[in-house]
């Protein structure tokens, strides 16, 4: 039922799953093209773009030839994002969508950030205590075995998105 409501959530979930699948298959051109599309679907996916960018830079920093490929990946994603940002700026006066500003309010008030962090963590822990324990256990096992390279994008995405929601005091989490 909820996939037919016209909201972007179904497309966003599909893109996230495809992006992680393409990462593990090492099809980076298509991955960064989809990351460009994902930013147009949901602005917070810009954070996912930077997660993959940092991972690629650290993974291939020794090989100068591969750093040129990373620049091509950035150009590919930018070729998708920038034309829409230009269109938005000239037509709406901003590149930030109304839904983004409606969901988030940047603040430097630490008490608001801490209160929001507490609420977000409470939501995740109370809704799925078993899932929370399994996730924490899985992360501990990966750290102990030092075999978290394949899971690093997922870990950074989840914790980064939670941090983004906490810092921006997001009123709506998706």
């Amino acid at each position: 039922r909820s996939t037919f409501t016209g909201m972007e959530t179904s497309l966003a979930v599909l893109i996230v799953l495809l992006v992680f699948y393409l990462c593990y298959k090492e099809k980076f051109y298509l991955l960064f093209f989809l990351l460009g599309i994902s930013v147009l679907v949901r602005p917070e996916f810009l954070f996912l773009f930077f997660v993959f960018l940092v991972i690629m830079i650290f993974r291939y920093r020794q090989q100068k030839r591969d750093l040129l490929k990373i620049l091509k990946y950035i150009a590919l994603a930018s070729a998708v994002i920038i034309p829409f940002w230009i269109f938005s700026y000239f037509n709406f006066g901003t590149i930030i969508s109304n839904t983004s500003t409606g969901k988030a309010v940047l603040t430097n008030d630490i008490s608001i950030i801490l209160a929001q962090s507490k609420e977000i963590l409470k939501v995740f822990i109370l809704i799925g205590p078993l899932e929370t324990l399994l996730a924490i256990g899985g992360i501990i096992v990966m750290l102990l075995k030092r075999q978290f390279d394949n899971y690093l994008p997922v870990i950074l995405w989840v914790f980064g998105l939670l941090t983004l929601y906490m810092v921006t005091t997001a009123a709506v989490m998706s």
Side-chain angles (χ1 to χ4, degrees):
R1 178 176 90 74
S2 63
T3 58
F4 298 107
T5 61
M7 298 299 288
E8 83 293 347
T9 305
S10 299
L11 180 59
V13 170
L14 175 67
I15 289 174
V16 167
L17 292 174
L18 281 173
V19 162
F20 284 115
Y21 174 77
L22 292 170
C23 176
Y24 297 124
K25 291 294 185 178
E26 296 187 1
K27 297 185 182 217
F28 298 117
Y29 284 106
L30 188 53
L31 181 148
F32 276 87
F33 177 76
L34 276 176
L35 284 173
I37 292 173
S38 72
V39 172
L40 301 179
V41 173
R42 278 204 167 148
E44 63 260 31
F45 281 147
L46 189 60
F47 182 78
L48 184 61
F49 170 78
F50 286 115
V51 164
F52 278 104
L53 188 59
V54 167
I55 287 170
M56 297 293 286
I57 289 170
F58 277 108
R59 189 175 284 176
Y60 299 114
R61 69 181 177 271
Q62 308 274 327
Q63 304 150 350
K64 293 196 186 284
R65 174 179 45 98
D66 288 330
L67 287 177
L68 184 59
K69 272 188 180 176
I70 293 171
L71 290 175
K72 289 179 184 177
Y73 300 148
I74 294 169
L76 181 61
S78 298
V80 175
I81 298 167
I82 290 175
F84 183 76
W85 281 354
I86 292 170
F87 170 83
S88 293
Y89 181 77
F90 284 114
N91 286 288
F92 308 116
T94 181
I95 63 170
I96 301 170
S97 66
N98 290 337
T99 56
S100 296
T101 55
K103 287 182 183 179
V105 179
L106 289 175
T107 181
N108 59 3
D109 186 348
I110 193 70
S111 63
I112 293 173
I113 293 172
L114 289 175
Q116 181 69 8
S117 301
K118 178 182 164 190
E119 291 302 314
I120 289 172
L121 293 174
K122 200 176 358 173
V123 165
F124 281 102
I125 291 170
L126 293 178
I127 287 178
L130 179 62
E131 291 88 348
T132 303
L133 290 175
L134 287 173
I136 291 170
I139 291 170
I140 290 170
V141 168
M142 283 187 286
L143 289 174
L144 291 175
K145 289 187 172 188
R146 298 184 190 275
Q147 295 179 342
F148 59 93
D149 188 45
N150 288 335
Y151 302 103
L152 191 58
V154 175
I155 293 169
L156 288 176
W157 168 242
V158 170
F159 285 107
L161 197 57
L162 284 172
T163 303
L164 179 70
Y165 284 146
M166 289 175 193
V167 170
T168 60
T169 62
V172 179
M173 290 188 313
S174 26

